[in-house]
Amino acid sequence: MLTYFKELSLNRTAWILLAIIALLLESTGLYFQYVMGLQPCVMCVYERLAISGLLLSGIIGAISPRLKLTRYFAILLWGYSAIKGLLLAIRHTDYQLNPSPWNQCEFKPDFPQTMPFDQWFPQIFAPGPVNCSQSQWEMLGWGMPQWLILAFGCFTLSFVLVLISQFKKSRPQYRSVFR
């Protein structure tokens, strides 16, 4: 099984698939915002940034998956984005399931001064006037943060499998003239 995941990480198609899935998730968030009229909260903005990290890792991995440096950098960015997104989605779910005056998110995003994403890309990363404890959308009884826990959980699990598979020795490919 680890050999399969190692071969996947060496394949450009798998990295492109990661980027496409992240792009679809990002597009879904923008659809909810601009077509359905749902305003993102601060936690939604943070989760969008984590999805953007997954998109970027898919693009970096697709550039040169056989080059170890590029592949390892893409895997580490993938892992950081997936784990950070999972933790953010869990905290966002806690805000919605246990609303209280002392359990709330910030009013504006707390990005570093050197990377103010909400000012650089306000159409994507600027939150609306919505509290994180408000649930604006549900499907099958789950709100958006619960679905993101599922998505980021799948990304995290696949990251762990790919990371472990990188330590598996590849079998040398012998080519015989006489076969």
Side-chain angles (χ1 to χ4, degrees), residues 111-177:
F111 292 123
Q113 289 182 352
T114 56
M115 293 186 288
F117 292 109
D118 57 334
Q119 296 170 8
W120 291 349
F121 308 107
Q123 296 83 5
I124 300 173
F125 298 117
V130 178
N131 190 352
C132 294
S133 61
Q134 292 175 329
S135 180
Q136 301 181 54
W137 176 85
E138 276 191 11
M139 184 174 80
L140 300 175
W142 282 11
M144 202 166 306
Q146 286 103 353
W147 286 106
L148 285 175
I149 288 174
L150 178 66
F152 283 122
C154 292
F155 282 125
T156 302
L157 177 64
S158 57
F159 156 71
V160 169
L161 290 172
V162 169
L163 181 67
I164 292 171
S165 75
Q166 298 305 303
F167 299 107
K168 175 114 172 105
K169 295 269 187 199
S170 297
R171 284 187 240 139
Q173 298 291 328
Y174 294 111
R175 295 193 178 180
S176 177
V177 182

Side-chain angles (χ1 to χ4, degrees), residues 25-144:
L25 285 172
E26 198 72 48
S27 300
T28 302
L30 293 173
Y31 174 82
F32 283 144
Q33 181 178 356
Y34 290 109
V35 176
M36 292 179 65
L38 305 177
Q39 294 297 314
C41 65
V42 173
M43 293 300 290
C44 297
V45 167
Y46 292 154
E47 292 158 352
R48 279 186 186 179
L49 189 60
I51 292 171
S52 297
L54 292 169
L55 174 63
L56 184 62
S57 69
I59 292 169
I60 291 171
I63 290 171
S64 180
R66 297 231 177 242
L67 185 64
K68 281 186 179 183
L69 181 67
T70 309
R71 184 174 71 245
Y72 289 162
F73 180 71
I75 290 172
L76 290 177
L77 180 60
W78 173 9
Y80 178 76
S81 299
I83 292 169
K84 187 69 174 177
L86 180 62
L87 295 174
L88 287 167
I90 289 171
R91 192 167 68 186
H92 193 181
T93 301
D94 181 50
Y95 289 150
Q96 287 191 353
L97 296 179
N98 304 311
S100 64
W102 55 85
N103 190 21
Q104 293 192 9
C105 61
E106 303 95 17
F107 293 110
K108 64 178 222 131
D110 190 23
F111 292 123
Q113 289 182 352
T114 56
M115 293 186 288
F117 292 109
D118 57 334
Q119 296 170 8
W120 291 349
F121 308 107
Q123 296 83 5
I124 300 173
F125 298 117
V130 178
N131 190 352
C132 294
S133 61
Q134 292 175 329
S135 180
Q136 301 181 54
W137 176 85
E138 276 191 11
M139 184 174 80
L140 300 175
W142 282 11
M144 202 166 306

